[in-house]
């Protein structure tokens, strides 16, 4: 395991586990955690031996959001701070060439909820919840949280969650499509790793381009999405993995994918 001040990264076979590591602050983001996460995300995304990333929080929470006790300079430009420090971190998840799974325990609040929602799959503990805490302190959601909510639950429900600051429990998140599975708290890591191992045995190129196709579909029309799918399908169809998949299917054996 490699450790930074506020983020740890461990590698288990072809799976990387990135863990927010400020449990005494409920993994609220300060400058050190923002930087450490960007560095960790860059490393695991660039490592071709890693096929899946699991993101989780140490202690009682996934992340309580921004650390409001952090001393900020008087001349702080909030807009540029979000764009320069948080946007690269969150886009590292959504634009990663491999799937990310968020394993959420306790609170995923404020911009912490944006990190949970940015991942491709989410497993939540029974005690976990998403919380848009912004209206209570005169702010709006950031980190792309409003986009994720609107895309998933619809505009009216998203506005209700934002304006009223409703805590959304794990079971309701499951019903609304904001998570994929809900498990007992003590089974969270095991369930996330089980899902990660299942993905790790799939064809890496197929997962990469399925993710890219979905990203395109979320912001495009049917015609453009069709064309983009066709371009990505050509890449997959010409890969060694596609040939191996066909051979394995005909031979009734498990395919051995190599990511090429």
């Amino acid at each position: 395991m490699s450790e930074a001040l506020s983020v740890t990264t461990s590698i288990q076979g072809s799976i990387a586990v990135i863990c927010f590591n400020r449990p005494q602050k409920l993994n609220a983001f300060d400058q050190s955690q923002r930087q450490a996460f960007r560095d960790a995300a860059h490393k695991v995304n660039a490592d071709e031996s890693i096929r899946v990333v699991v993101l989780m929080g140490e202690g009682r929470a996934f992340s309580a959001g921004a650390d409001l006790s952090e001393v900020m300079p008087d001349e702080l430009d909030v807009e540029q701070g979000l764009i320069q420090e948080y946007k690269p971190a969150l886009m590292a998840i959504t634009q990663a060439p491999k799937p990310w799974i968020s394993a959420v325990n306790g609170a995923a609040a404020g911009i912490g909820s944006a990190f949970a929602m940015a991942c491709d799959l989410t497993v939540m503990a029974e005690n976990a919840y998403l919380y848009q805490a912004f209206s209570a302190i005169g702010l709006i959601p950031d980190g792309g949280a409003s986009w994720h909510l609107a895309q998933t639950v619809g505009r009216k429900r998203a506005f209700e969650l934002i304006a009223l600051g409703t805590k959304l429990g794990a079971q309701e998140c499951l019903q609304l499509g904001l998570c994929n599975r809900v498990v007992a708290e003590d089974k969270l890591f095991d369930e996330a790793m089980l899902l990660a191992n299942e993905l790790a045995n799939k064809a890496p190129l197929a997962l990469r381009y399925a993710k890219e196709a979905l990203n395109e579909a979320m912001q495009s029309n049917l015609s453009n999405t069709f064309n983009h799918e066709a371009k990505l399908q050509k890449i997959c169809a010409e890969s060694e993995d596609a040939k191996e998949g066909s051979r394995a299917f005909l031979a009734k054996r498990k395919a051995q994918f190599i990511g090429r």
Side-chain angles (χ1 to χ4, degrees):
M1 175 181 287
S2 62
E3 297 197 17
L5 178 63
S6 48
V7 170
T8 64
T9 302
S10 60
I11 309 298
Q12 300 190 24
S14 58
I15 299 166
V17 179
I18 294 178
C19 189
F20 300 135
N21 191 37
R22 299 184 75 219
Q24 74 283 3
K25 290 285 189 177
L26 299 180
N27 300 315
F29 281 89
D30 67 351
Q31 196 281 329
S32 69
Q33 185 164 296
R34 292 191 294 271
Q35 181 63 56
F37 177 80
R38 293 198 301 272
D39 291 345
H42 174 75
K43 289 178 182 176
V44 299
N45 283 342
D47 188 339
E48 293 185 0
S49 69
I50 294 172
R51 295 192 176 186
V52 185
V53 184
V54 173
L55 177 62
M56 58 189 302
E58 183 66 35
R60 296 185 295 114
F62 179 78
S63 172
D67 186 349
L68 299 181
S69 68
E70 182 180 18
V71 178
M72 307 301 287
D74 292 337
E75 67 278 9
L76 173 69
D77 185 324
V78 173
E79 178 182 1
Q80 289 306 309
L82 285 166
I83 291 172
Q84 293 173 9
E85 296 216 359
Y86 281 110
K87 186 176 181 180
L90 286 153
M91 297 308 288
I93 298 173
T94 58
Q95 296 178 345
K98 58 197 68 176
W100 281 59
I101 300 170
S102 51
V104 182
N105 60 305
I111 204 163
S113 74
F115 278 85
M117 291 187 289
C119 293
D120 304 291
L121 296 171
T122 297
V123 181
M124 295 182 75
E126 291 172 338
N127 71 329
Y129 59 91
L130 299 183
Y131 178 33
Q132 304 308 311
F134 300 94
S135 64
I137 53 175
L139 298 174
I140 67 167
D142 51 30
S146 57
W147 185 90
H148 287 293
L149 288 171
Q151 291 283 349
T152 306
V153 306
R155 182 186 182 280
K156 289 185 182 295
R157 189 62 191 275
F159 186 78
E160 178 185 6
L161 294 171
I162 292 166
L164 300 183
T166 306
K167 292 182 180 180
L168 206 57
Q171 286 295 340
E172 194 167 4
C173 286
L174 182 64
Q175 294 168 6
L176 291 171
L178 287 164
C179 76
N180 301 91
R181 300 178 186 179
V182 176
V183 299
E185 184 180 1
D186 62 352
K187 299 294 184 183
L188 179 64
F189 179 73
D190 290 342
E191 186 68 24
M193 290 301 292
L194 186 66
L195 185 56
N197 274 292
E198 189 174 351
L199 289 177
N201 287 319
K202 303 294 185 182
L205 287 179
L207 295 182
R208 173 178 182 170
Y209 293 123
K211 178 172 178 172
E212 184 176 327
L214 282 170
N215 284 342
E216 174 70 18
M218 293 290 284
Q219 56 192 355
S220 189
N221 59 38
L222 174 59
S223 178
N224 289 340
T225 299
F226 189 106
N227 292 342
H228 195 65
E229 287 174 344
K231 180 178 74 172
L232 299 178
Q233 189 72 297
K234 182 176 187 293
I235 297 171
C236 291
E238 294 175 352
S239 70
E240 293 180 35
D241 277 351
K243 297 179 177 64
E244 162 63 8
S246 295
R247 290 193 297 265
F249 177 80
L250 293 173
K252 295 182 174 56
R253 61 173 174 80
K254 184 177 180 180
Q256 301 296 317
F257 296 118
I258 60 175
R260 292 195 297 274

